[in-house]
Amino acid sequence: MQLPTWSEHHWRLIQHFLQMTLLLSLLCPPTESVPRDSGSSSSPEEGCEGFQVDVCGVCAGDGSSCELFSGTLFLSVLSVGYHKILDIPSGAQRIKIQETQKTRNYLALRTATGESVINGDWVIDRPRQFYAVGTELTYKRPNEIRSRAGESITAPGPTNQELHLFVIYQQPNPAVYYEYILPKDPITDDHLDAYSYSSVLPLVESHGIFPDPDNSDSENSLSSSHANQVPSDSITPEPVPLYSWLAITTTPCSATCGTGSRQVLFGCVERATQTTVQGDLCSYTSHPGPQVEECQSQPCPAFWDVGEWSECSKTCGPGFQYRQVICQQAQGHHGNSTVVVAASLCDNTEMPETTTVCQLKICSEWQIRSEWTECSVPCGVGQRTRVVVCVDNLGDIAADEECNMALRPLDLQNCDKGVCASSWFSSLWSDRCSADCAEGSRSRTVVCMMSHTNSLPLDNCNDEDKPDDLMPCDLGPCTQRLEWYAGPWGQCSSECGNGTQSRGVVCIVQNSGQLEVTSDDRCSHLPRPPSAQTCFLKSCGAQWYMTEWSSCSRSCDGGFRVREVRCLQDDLTSSHDCDPDLEPANKEECNTHTCTPQIDESCRDMYYNCVVVVQARLCVYSYYRSTCCASCSRGTHRDTLHRIR
């Protein structure tokens, strides 16, 4: 290829450009930028000694640079499987997702494009770190038997894609707490993480400020821009660029096995010699920008994935625990997904135990603390008891459930004291007669009981042999005996709910078997029976209750009055079961009679034509109001009533 000849003018331009470039590099040395390490995350507290970090991670901040989103998701009974519960937007930072308590459910994450990040495609990942959506996510699942903490996912962020949070439902009523922050102002950073680019861009060479000698449009443009300085007949083809950006090397692959990514690093090179020079020689051209390409390495080795230990098979004493152990292999970008493979691929390592012995505590035991009591009956079949308690390994009494109920000694059993004989037993006769005068009776109690004496005949009580329990007595004829006489109760005053009923009560005198009504005063020394009592036939259910009417709003010419109406149950609580057709009115008209104006003797018409004054609306003037007082007063009263109505 024949190189074009350059004019002296072009050599002067190149010399001037190199001198200016050297001068600028001396006056303004370039600032070295350290790319952010995507694999490490420092806490906001580092370098903030003596100050408090706010919720946004800003040293000595007031929390105004971001917005905090948090809450607890309570889920009802769902079907078994994946259920999306939350969308986490792109750019989220300080992400924290935590089950409020330990369950058999699992948390899962997917990107907005459907790519699985954690626990996807019905494959449960082991707890570890995952790299996705531009950040490192930490997945934890406590293995401790007594631990009550649930699963958690945390990430420092920021994320470069939207995340979808799922729960793999297996147990009712899961509750998940979440929180993350979003910056209020957009983040600008010239050194974005290389992993924010999803594809490799073609390498770009910069041509500096020189035009392309093969481009006629550029040549015409240069000619027109320097028309006043260089004659058009002296223009020759322009030289090729001296410096350009070129891909020099790459960073190490981000994954030690499987598919990973690496960053393409560019350097400023001299085009003629392909040697690396200072970056400021290419500073007038655009940098190709961060670029990422995929890299392949050896397949990831298979590993044993260990599940959680089950609960101990026994609450006390020796028992067993079980767990699932499967052979898995990491696949996908950065090994962020795993698949179950044949167990033979994990033969290079010893398979973890799937069964282990456990003992939560020493079992409690039953102890008998007393002898049998006496039989509860003197004869026949009865029961006897003794004290049986559950004692723990410290000697303290524990709940019966702590001991084996199948081995509990009896604390109650039947006892037989032999056949019992029965006989009639009677109390002493009463000392008082049932009547104050005339014939009455004395009484005693007669019962059939088991006999404790073996000499009695062994047969049951016979009703024919039952002794009398009443004996007649007579204290003589009755003379002038006073007493209250009460008639039968009358009808209840209410068909439902509480009411009253009454009866007649009179004072009578008894004389030789004859009864005669006398004055109540003669029986005043005796306790008088009640003549009225409350009664209740049935429940009324819901019914209407109302207050008294209020005062009328006007004394004449029609007003209204109101009252409050409520539907109440029997217990006076509000109800909606009353019949609306029977609801009493809560408003009515009142005082509809016409108001009679008060007559003022001093208010009279002094002229016969005062009617014309009212019609001409001249009563607004004080002269006419005084000379036509009666007519103006009547007109004013009519106008007032018209405005009210």
Side-chain angles (χ1 to χ4, degrees):
M1 175 179 176
Q2 184 178 1
L3 295 175
T5 58
W6 293 355
S7 65
E8 182 181 357
H9 172 70
H10 286 98
W11 285 113
R12 286 199 301 269
L13 286 176
I14 294 173
Q15 184 179 9
H16 176 69
F17 170 73
L18 293 176
Q19 290 175 353
M20 292 299 295
T21 303
L22 179 60
L23 179 61
L24 289 173
S25 64
L26 293 175
L27 295 177
C28 305
T31 302
E32 295 184 0
S33 61
V34 179
R36 186 189 316 164
D37 184 5
S38 61
S40 62
S41 59
S42 60
S43 64
E45 289 78 3
E46 294 182 4
C48 194
E49 291 80 1
F51 297 93
Q52 186 173 2
V53 178
D54 68 356
V55 68
C56 303
V58 178
C59 182
D62 58 357
S64 61
S65 62
C66 71
E67 187 171 359
L68 174 65
F69 296 85
S70 64
T72 302
L73 304 171
F74 297 93
L75 307 177
S76 58
V77 177
L78 304 173
S79 60
V80 175
Y82 286 82
H83 297 272
K84 187 170 76 169
I85 60 176
L86 181 66
D87 292 337
I88 302 176
S90 177
Q93 302 179 31
R94 309 187 77 170
I95 301 171
K96 179 180 179 182
I97 304 168
Q98 175 74 56
E99 281 189 306
T100 59
Q101 63 181 359
K102 186 176 181 181
T103 67
R104 296 195 303 274
N105 304 314
Y106 296 93
L107 300 175
L109 279 181
R110 294 180 189 170
T111 63
T113 59
E115 182 181 357
S116 174
V117 179
I118 298 175
N119 293 342
D121 301 325
W122 290 103
V123 177
I124 304 303
D125 297 312
R126 58 187 175 87
R128 57 187 175 90
Q129 279 74 35
F130 297 82
Y131 188 86
V133 297
T135 186
E136 185 180 66
L137 299 104
T138 302
Y139 174 46
K140 293 183 178 181
R141 183 169 64 243
N143 272 339
E144 294 81 1
I145 299 174
R146 295 180 178 270
S147 174
R148 298 298 180 186
E151 292 192 346
S152 66
I153 300 175
T154 57
T159 59
N160 57 20
Q161 290 187 46
E162 181 179 293
L163 281 174
H164 294 172
L165 175 63
F166 289 77
V167 61
I168 306 177
Y169 180 85
Q170 298 186 88
Q171 179 177 333
N173 300 322
V176 179
Y177 172 79
Y178 71 92
E179 70 176 33
Y180 60 87
I181 64 171
L182 285 176
K184 292 185 177 179
D185 298 325
I187 299 176
T188 58
D189 189 354
D190 295 337
H191 305 287
L192 292 176
D193 195 311
Y195 295 110
S196 63
Y197 292 82
S198 59
S199 62
V200 178
L201 299 177
L203 299 182
V204 179
E205 291 185 353
S206 174
H207 295 282
I209 62 172
F210 299 102
D212 188 350
D214 297 331
N215 192 331
S216 60
D217 295 337
S218 300
E219 183 177 346
N220 294 335
S221 174
L222 182 62
S223 300
S224 61
S225 62
H226 297 284
N228 297 328
Q229 301 179 14
V230 182
S232 59
D233 55 357
S234 63
I235 296 177
T236 60
E238 298 297 334
V240 296
L242 296 179
Y243 304 100
S244 62
W245 293 104
L246 189 65
I248 303 299
T249 183
T250 60
T251 60
C253 190
S254 61
T256 58
C257 63
T259 303
S261 60
R262 61 189 177 188
Q263 183 179 2
V264 180
L265 301 179
F266 289 86
C268 184
V269 299
E270 185 179 7
R271 188 176 180 85
T273 62
Q274 294 294 305
T275 58
T276 304
V277 296
Q278 290 185 352
D280 55 353
L281 295 178
C282 296
S283 61
Y284 292 98
T285 62
S286 59
H287 192 280
Q291 297 181 10
V292 177
E293 64 181 9
E294 288 189 351
C295 51
Q296 297 283 345
S297 59
Q298 61 182 354
C300 294
F303 61 92
W304 293 110
D305 185 39
V306 179
E308 294 185 49
W309 286 110
S310 66
E311 300 291 339
C312 193
S313 60
K314 293 186 177 180
T315 58
C316 66
F320 294 96
Q321 288 179 273
Y322 307 94
R323 66 178 177 183
Q324 184 183 35
V325 178
I326 57 178
C327 183
Q328 291 192 348
Q329 188 176 31
Q331 294 184 358
H333 194 66
H334 290 284
N336 58 359
S337 64
T338 58
V339 295
V340 179
V341 295
S344 58
L345 296 180
C346 294
D347 286 343
N348 58 335
T349 58
E350 183 180 357
M351 181 178 179
E353 295 292 337
T354 60
T355 305
T356 185
V357 178
C358 59
Q359 180 171 336
L360 299 180
K361 62 178 180 179
I362 300 176
C363 291
S364 303
E365 62 178 2
W366 295 107
Q367 285 188 3
I368 300 174
R369 293 290 184 93
S370 69
E371 299 293 334
W372 288 108
T373 61
E374 293 293 333
C375 196
S376 60
V377 295
C379 62
V381 178
Q383 289 182 328
R384 61 179 184 174
T385 60
R386 64 180 177 181
V387 178
V388 177
V389 295
C390 177
V391 180
D392 58 20
N393 58 338
L394 299 179
D396 299 327
I397 297 178
D400 286 356
E401 292 75 11
E402 296 294 329
C403 293
N404 189 343
M405 297 299 294
L407 302 178
R408 190 180 192 278
L410 294 176
D411 61 349
L412 178 67
Q413 68 176 193
N414 294 334
C415 52
D416 190 351
K417 300 294 287 185
V419 179
C420 293
S422 57
S423 299
W424 290 109
F425 288 76
S426 60
S427 65
L428 298 175
W429 289 106
S430 61
D431 294 331
R432 299 182 58 181
C433 189
S434 61
D436 295 338
C437 59
E439 293 182 356
S441 62
R442 297 168 64 189
S443 63
R444 65 178 178 179
T445 303
V446 178
V447 294
C448 179
M449 299 179 63
M450 297 295 179
S451 176
H452 296 175
T453 306
N454 294 332
S455 60
L456 293 176
L458 300 179
D459 53 0
N460 293 328
C461 299
N462 191 347
D463 290 340
E464 296 178 357
D465 299 332
K466 181 180 179 180
D468 294 333
D469 55 356
L470 292 177
M471 181 177 64
C473 58
D474 190 350
L475 300 180
C478 296
T479 58
Q480 298 296 319
R481 183 171 180 266
L482 296 171
E483 62 178 331
W484 290 106
Y485 174 80
W489 288 107
Q491 187 175 357
C492 191
S493 62
S494 177
E495 296 179 356
C496 63
N498 294 325
T500 57
Q501 58 183 168
S502 59
R503 64 180 178 180
V505 178
V506 295
C507 179
I508 61 173
V509 58
Q510 183 177 3
N511 189 7
S512 299
Q514 299 294 325
L515 300 178
E516 181 181 354
V517 178
T518 184
S519 173
D520 291 350
D521 296 338
R522 298 184 62 184
C523 294
S524 60
H525 64 285
L526 300 175
R528 180 188 176 98
S531 58
Q533 68 177 6
T534 59
C535 55
F536 182 87
L537 298 180
K538 64 178 180 179
S539 298
C540 292
Q543 59 180 334
W544 295 106
Y545 287 78
M546 67 219 72
T547 62
E548 297 294 332
W549 287 108
S550 66
S551 300
C552 193
S553 61
R554 293 182 56 82
S555 59
C556 58
D557 284 336
F560 64 90
R561 59 181 183 175
V562 296
R563 64 181 176 183
E564 187 175 1
V565 179
R566 293 185 183 180
C567 178
L568 302 178
Q569 291 280 8
D570 289 331
D571 56 357
L572 301 183
T573 57
S574 296
S575 175
H576 300 284
D577 298 334
C578 296
D579 189 351
D581 296 334
L582 301 179
E583 181 179 2
N586 59 2
K587 182 178 180 180
E588 70 175 7
E589 295 182 351
C590 55
N591 294 339
T592 58
H593 59 278
T594 304
C595 293
T596 303
Q598 296 181 353
I599 301 176
D600 187 0
E601 296 295 336
S602 62
C603 182
R604 297 181 179 181
D605 292 342
M606 301 177 63
Y607 297 101
Y608 66 91
N609 59 348
C610 285
V611 176
V612 180
V613 172
V614 175
Q615 294 175 351
R617 300 184 181 277
L618 298 176
C619 292
V620 295
Y621 301 101
S622 59
Y623 170 75
Y624 291 106
R625 282 200 305 271
S626 61
T627 55
C628 297
C629 180
S631 297
C632 287
S633 297
R634 286 193 296 270
T636 302
H637 180 68
R638 285 194 300 272
D639 292 342
T640 303
L641 291 179
H642 180 72
R643 286 195 300 271
I644 293 175
R645 293 176 181 175

